[in-house]
Amino acid sequence: MLESGGAAARGAPLADRIDRWLSGAADPARARRLASDVLGAADRAGFGAQLWARADGVGRVLAALCGAAPFFAPVLSRNPEWLVGLAAEDVTVGRTAEEYRAQVRRWLKGIAPARVPEVLRRFKYWELARITVRELSWDLVPLEKSRETLRELSDLADVLLGEALAHAAARLCEAAGPPRWRCGGREVELGFCVLGLGKLGGQELNYSSDVDLVYVFESPGGETSAGPGGRSPEEYFTRLAQDFGRVLSEVTPEGFLYRVDVDLRPQGSAGALVVSANALVQYYELWAASWEKATFMKARPVAGDLALGWRVIRAIDPMIYRSSMDFAAVEAIRRLKDEVERVKGRSGETFDVKIGAGGIRDVEFVAQALQLLHGGRIPQVRGRSTERALVALAEVGVLPAAQAAALLAAYRFLRRLENRLQMEADRQTHRMPSEREALVRLGRSMGFGGPDPAAALEQALEAHRAAVRRAFGGLLQAGGDEAVFSLFARHVPQLCGSPTTRGMIEELARHFARQVEASSDPERAMNNLDRFIRGVGRRRFYYELLLDRPELVPRLTALFAASEYFSAYFATHPRLIEPIFSDPNVLLLSRRELEEAHAQIRAELAREGTRDPAELELDALRLFHNRELINVGLLDLSNKITPAEAEAALTEIAEVCLDRALAVAAREMERYGQRPVGGEFLVVGMGKLASRELSYGSDLDVIFLYDVPGGRESDLLAAQEYYVRLAQKLIWALRTRTAEGVCYEIDARLRPSGNQGLLVTSLASFARYHERGAQVWERQALLRARPVAGDGRLRKVFVRLRREILLQP
């Protein structure tokens, strides 16, 4: 029975009501002993009547704080008025950040600056006591609502960090002056922000946690001078960060606010304590390791200039979420997690809830890895909260619903267990106790009753750990069937969900998985396979083709592993698969064979009868270009041709395209009038086109010339407009984007006077320009110039003229 000096005076029935609450505590005997001390102190302070009038509220508070969080017993004895206040508190709903902010400012109103740290500590423990009572009330916070406690703890930390920083900043401003500097002839005031990472950033802070912080100050935008106390911005804000850290972590009779960990800043403990916004962005752009970028996924401004913090985070986001699947980052996090577990997680005999196998860190890894892999293309799976990330990953189909539900249940259980462990002594511990009595107490605090709460707890823990280990063990191992199938599930869920097509997709996933694992670059192969599936979409014909022709899968996978450039072609033009792979032994085609191949493609499109004449010509050009480019690439990648042969073949393809495009342009010009009588037009290749050294994706450097043999100067001027339009149509035929893509970008800047000159030059004007005004580099450019398309006579004339120009002294 409860023993208290006030119990007899108030009557046994009231004492019994409190005792019924204590009998349900995690450790009833300890709870009764500590509660008697607390009630005695409250009675002596004159609060007895108020307490006994609120017997049920008092019982709930004492059962929680003396049963599962006994470090609170001496706090309540020193502050008996807290027991009255907590008994009267409405704990049916949690507090919001705004409510915390309003409450703490009431506590701080009229307080001398020197007492602010003390008041902040008292406020923290008052609110922590209220959160503890609420968290231990299963009727108010069942397991599925356990995130409410993590959110309250995080919001409380945000508010306390904000007030502590404001206090430190005010004291520094008073001592050294405000953070203002002269920069570029004007005075600027620079902002300072505290970024929270880890569980604080994810708004899932645990009961007795470090806070992972990064300090960032606003970049001044130039050299600064005349700062406060002669300090540079870095010196000033370093002092502010140090003062802020002392306000947080110094232990006083009222306790402490938070243990601070700043090792996640750039270069860790070896780096500067504070960093400018520009330097932080540059670090993540150029130097940050994969695990650092993954850690920054949870970054969130928590104190100071929040707008500055969000600007920095938005600038760094593109460096974290890549458009391709970042398997390297996932593997880096896995290695780091394994190393931490090896060093710390196995150092004791009992299970570590945080970093042990099947623990909290494993759930976080599954969520974080899938976010890294898919967040670049699926923004809705990004986020700082592990719990919300698991829900989002299931909603978009990345994580199977049943697996997501199991991970969520495990995560909630493990996080509640972590809080229960830390409530014991407000100590940052994660290891399960080994003593029988402590396990029974822990089991009861977790809601397990019956004859053996310890056994029930251990059985439930093992079930959750097993579910986590299964999810973690099968997570996207490069080349695994499930990894490849998950790509199909993401992009074509209809085919994966249909009984008639799921088997086909599973079989194809197995084929690709084997080839990806055996490829030269599995990560690149997976990324490009993902791009390919996204491009093909629900057009099942191509998947059926790959199953019917299984020899295509290794060739296609080898291409995915070797070349981003060609993989992009297949992603946007899956129809290239069938003709390109029809005969893997076909080598390079001659000029005549290339022209015949173009004619055949054009004839096939014409038989379809679905395009207008202009569209037919453009699509025929692009299909020809794409097919032949891929053919050269496959031969190149398989080392069946030399690099020089590949460059020459690419140049030959370009010349055929230029010749055909010129014919298309000439037909288009028929609607604009007759070609000038006797007029001739020439496309001159420059640069690598001229030297037959084109590479994949090269622009075509050209100049356009025309002539009217025997014509007067007035005849040339009259022909100018026609040939300018002809050149424009030629460019249009090659660079206009259709459903089949583009052929080439055209660069005509090597013409006389560059961009300032006319697009098309008469042969006579070209000769005069090089006689009188050409620069040395322009003459050098002629060393490689040669005709690539156009009229035969003008080709010969240009070759003679080029020789004459180059032979001039």
Side-chain angles (χ1 to χ4, degrees):
M1 286 292 293
L2 178 65
E3 295 179 4
S4 169
R10 309 300 170 189
L14 292 175
D16 288 344
R17 283 167 60 187
I18 294 177
D19 194 66
R20 280 196 295 272
W21 282 96
L22 297 177
S23 65
D27 187 335
R30 183 177 67 181
R32 289 189 178 101
R33 185 176 66 255
L34 295 176
S36 292
D37 295 340
V38 172
L39 286 170
D43 232 10
R44 289 189 295 274
F47 293 105
Q50 297 177 58
L51 293 176
W52 292 106
R54 296 182 177 276
D56 286 324
V58 171
R60 184 191 286 269
V61 171
L62 291 174
L65 301 185
C66 296
F71 79 93
F72 266 116
V75 176
L76 293 178
S77 294
R78 290 195 305 272
N79 303 279
E81 71 279 7
W82 283 24
L83 186 55
V84 178
L86 289 168
E89 274 282 339
D90 178 10
V91 293
T92 59
V93 292
R95 291 223 208 284
T96 65
E98 292 72 23
E99 289 168 335
Y100 279 131
R101 196 165 287 110
Q103 291 271 18
V104 75
R105 286 175 182 170
R106 280 196 290 271
W107 281 53
L108 291 171
K109 189 174 182 179
I111 294 296
R115 289 194 59 222
V116 167
E118 169 202 334
V119 174
L120 291 180
R121 282 158 173 72
R122 288 177 59 79
F123 179 77
K124 173 201 170 177
Y125 283 100
W126 160 264
E127 290 296 340
L128 191 59
R130 185 194 56 78
I131 291 171
T132 305
V133 174
R134 177 172 158 75
E135 159 77 357
L136 286 159
S137 303
W138 280 83
D139 56 326
L140 301 179
V141 190
L143 192 59
E144 60 270 18
K145 290 187 176 182
S146 58
R147 188 175 181 277
E148 292 181 8
T149 299
L150 306 181
R151 178 62 183 259
E152 278 198 86
L153 290 167
S154 303
D155 287 345
L156 176 61
D158 283 4
V159 170
L160 289 170
L161 291 171
E163 294 299 329
L165 180 61
H167 170 72
R171 299 301 292 268
L172 180 58
C173 184
E174 183 181 343
R180 297 194 186 107
W181 288 264
R182 299 292 299 176
C183 180
R186 61 190 181 90
E187 188 174 71
V188 294
E189 182 163 338
L190 302 181
F192 178 82
C193 183
V194 178
L195 301 179
L197 280 71
K199 290 185 172 65
L200 174 62
Q203 294 180 297
E204 294 176 332
L205 198 64
N206 43 293
Y207 195 86
S208 185
S209 175
D210 288 355
V211 287
D212 295 302
L213 305 179
V214 170
Y215 303 128
V216 59
F217 64 91
E218 189 174 3
S219 300
E223 290 295 323
T224 58
S225 61
R231 295 181 176 91
S232 67
E234 184 171 8
E235 290 169 334
Y236 184 91
F237 290 119
T238 296
R239 168 72 182 276
L240 175 57
Q242 291 168 339
D243 292 349
F244 171 61
R246 279 192 290 272
V247 174
L248 293 180
S249 57
E250 188 177 9
V251 180
T252 73
E254 289 78 27
F256 65 99
L257 286 177
Y258 295 99
R259 292 174 291 266
V260 176
D261 187 338
V262 291
D263 284 348
L264 293 179
R265 66 189 188 270
Q267 299 177 23
S269 58
L273 181 61
V274 300
V275 61
S276 73
N278 288 349
L280 185 62
V281 173
Q282 188 177 47
Y283 179 79
Y284 277 91
E285 183 177 10
L286 300 176
W287 307 110
S290 295
W291 69 265
E292 290 178 290
K293 292 181 178 181
T295 300
F296 205 81
M297 289 168 64
K298 291 184 178 291
R300 181 176 62 87
V302 295
D305 187 343
L306 303 185
L308 166 65
W310 284 120
R311 287 197 299 273
V312 171
I313 288 169
R314 283 194 293 270
I316 294 174
D317 260 359
M319 303 158 204
I320 296 173
Y321 293 105
R322 289 171 38 178
S323 58
S324 59
M325 300 179 78
D326 196 353
F327 286 96
V330 171
E331 186 55 34
I333 308 169
R334 185 196 293 271
R335 286 197 299 270
L336 179 66
K337 193 203 79 68
D338 289 347
E339 179 63 16
V340 170
E341 183 179 319
R342 185 184 67 79
V343 174
K344 297 181 179 178
R346 308 301 189 195
S347 60
E349 296 180 358
T350 58
F351 173 60
D352 189 298
V353 172
K354 181 179 179 181
I355 59 177
I360 293 168
R361 189 63 60 81
D362 282 2
V363 182
E364 292 172 337
F365 175 80
V366 172
Q368 206 166 26
L370 292 173
Q371 285 178 291
L372 281 172
L373 291 173
H374 300 281
R377 299 181 310 282
I378 317 172
Q380 55 266 46
V381 306
R382 302 176 191 177
R384 296 166 180 81
S385 159
T386 297
E387 188 165 327
R388 285 202 299 263
L390 291 171
V391 172
L393 290 163
E395 286 175 347
V396 300
V398 167
L399 191 62
Q403 193 173 68
L407 286 170
L408 268 173
Y411 187 70
R412 289 164 178 162
F413 181 90
L414 291 165
R415 292 307 307 276
R416 175 154 282 181
L417 183 59
E418 175 187 44
N419 278 346
R420 296 293 193 271
L421 287 168
Q422 294 180 354
M423 283 176 185
E424 221 12 72
D426 190 22
R427 192 165 57 89
Q428 192 182 25
T429 181
H430 299 91
R431 195 165 288 285
M432 292 288 287
S434 56
E435 302 82 6
R436 168 73 182 173
E437 182 182 346
L439 280 170
V440 169
R441 185 165 60 240
L442 188 60
R444 285 174 62 89
S445 76
M446 285 291 291
F448 294 100
D452 195 346
L457 169 64
E458 290 179 320
Q459 184 177 0
L461 174 60
E462 184 51 44
H464 285 303
R465 288 183 64 193
V468 174
R469 286 196 298 266
R470 283 194 297 272
F472 179 81
L475 177 65
L476 291 177
Q477 296 172 354
D481 297 1
E482 290 183 11
V484 176
F485 184 80
S486 73
L487 303 184
F488 286 99
R490 167 71 189 110
H491 298 302
V492 286
Q494 301 89 344
L495 298 182
C496 294
S498 169
T500 59
T501 53
R502 182 181 176 92
M504 171 188 73
I505 297 298
E506 287 177 338
E507 184 179 355
L508 188 57
R510 284 193 292 273
H511 288 329
F512 270 116
R514 285 192 292 272
Q515 297 305 322
V516 166
E517 190 169 2
S519 70
S520 59
D521 191 334
E523 179 185 348
R524 178 186 285 175
M526 279 291 282
N527 283 332
N528 286 320
L529 175 58
D530 175 71
R531 181 191 293 182
F532 173 74
I533 296 169
R534 187 166 70 248
V536 173
R538 288 184 288 175
R539 291 174 284 185
R540 57 185 287 185
F541 164 78
Y542 295 109
Y543 304 132
E544 291 170 340
L545 171 66
L546 291 172
L547 281 177
D548 291 342
R549 299 280 306 280
E551 75 277 8
L552 303 187
V553 173
R555 297 197 74 204
L556 194 57
T557 307
L559 183 143
F560 290 159
S563 173
E564 297 284 349
Y565 181 80
F566 291 125
S567 299
Y569 260 87
F570 279 104
T572 52
H573 305 95
R575 65 184 293 169
L576 291 172
I577 297 173
E578 191 173 17
I580 286 301
F581 288 117
S582 57
D583 185 355
N585 297 312
V586 170
L587 294 179
L588 297 175
L589 301 182
S590 66
R591 177 65 175 262
R592 180 182 59 79
E593 289 171 326
L594 288 172
E595 290 171 343
E596 290 174 354
H598 173 266
Q600 181 181 356
I601 290 171
R602 185 181 180 281
E604 289 172 357
L605 293 181
R607 283 194 293 272
E608 292 178 6
T610 57
R611 293 171 171 83
D612 67 37
E615 182 184 0
L616 183 149
E617 297 292 355
L618 298 187
D619 282 348
L621 260 179
R622 282 145 185 75
L623 279 171
F624 164 76
H625 168 267
N626 294 345
R627 290 185 188 185
E628 297 309 323
L629 194 73
I630 291 290
N631 187 48
V632 173
L634 290 170
L635 293 169
D636 192 0
L637 291 172
S638 60
N639 296 316
K640 291 184 177 180
I641 57 175
T642 66
E645 288 174 322
E647 291 170 351
L650 293 171
T651 304
E652 198 79 72
I653 294 167
E655 290 189 46
V656 172
C657 288
L658 279 165
D659 187 67
R660 294 299 85 206
L662 181 56
V664 171
R667 282 195 292 274
E668 286 290 309
M669 286 300 295
E670 291 175 2
R671 70 182 73 177
Y672 296 107
Q674 294 297 315
R675 180 171 178 155
V677 177
E680 297 178 338
F681 183 76
L682 183 65
V683 181
V684 177
M686 307 291 284
K688 291 185 177 180
L689 172 62
S691 60
R692 296 183 172 85
E693 296 174 320
L694 280 185
S695 56
Y696 303 102
S698 286
D699 293 350
L700 302 184
D701 292 311
V702 298
I703 57 176
F704 300 114
L705 301 176
Y706 75 97
D707 192 23
V708 181
R712 294 166 300 185
E713 190 72 22
S714 59
D715 296 328
L716 290 173
L717 291 174
Q720 177 84 42
E721 182 180 354
Y722 176 89
Y723 286 116
V724 167
R725 285 192 172 184
L726 180 64
Q728 290 170 336
K729 284 292 180 183
L730 169 60
I731 294 171
W732 163 81
L734 290 172
R735 64 185 293 189
T736 298
R737 182 171 293 280
T738 74
E740 302 300 337
V742 297
C743 278
Y744 296 99
E745 289 294 325
I746 300 297
D747 189 340
R749 289 176 295 178
L750 292 176
R751 64 186 185 268
S753 300
N755 283 339
Q756 306 304 314
L758 294 170
L759 179 62
V760 180
T761 309
S762 71
L763 188 69
S765 296
F766 183 81
R768 285 196 298 271
Y769 180 79
H770 278 279
E771 286 173 5
R772 301 172 187 172
Q775 301 292 318
V776 173
W777 68 265
E778 291 178 293
R779 185 167 294 184
Q780 288 175 324
L782 281 181
L783 286 168
R784 294 199 290 182
R786 67 182 178 89
V788 291
D791 294 296
R793 189 201 71 86
L794 192 52
R795 288 174 182 246
K796 295 176 182 177
V797 172
F798 172 79
V799 170
R800 287 198 300 270
L801 175 61
R802 168 184 168 275
R803 180 178 175 81
E804 291 170 5
I805 293 170
L806 292 175
L807 290 175
Q808 288 176 5

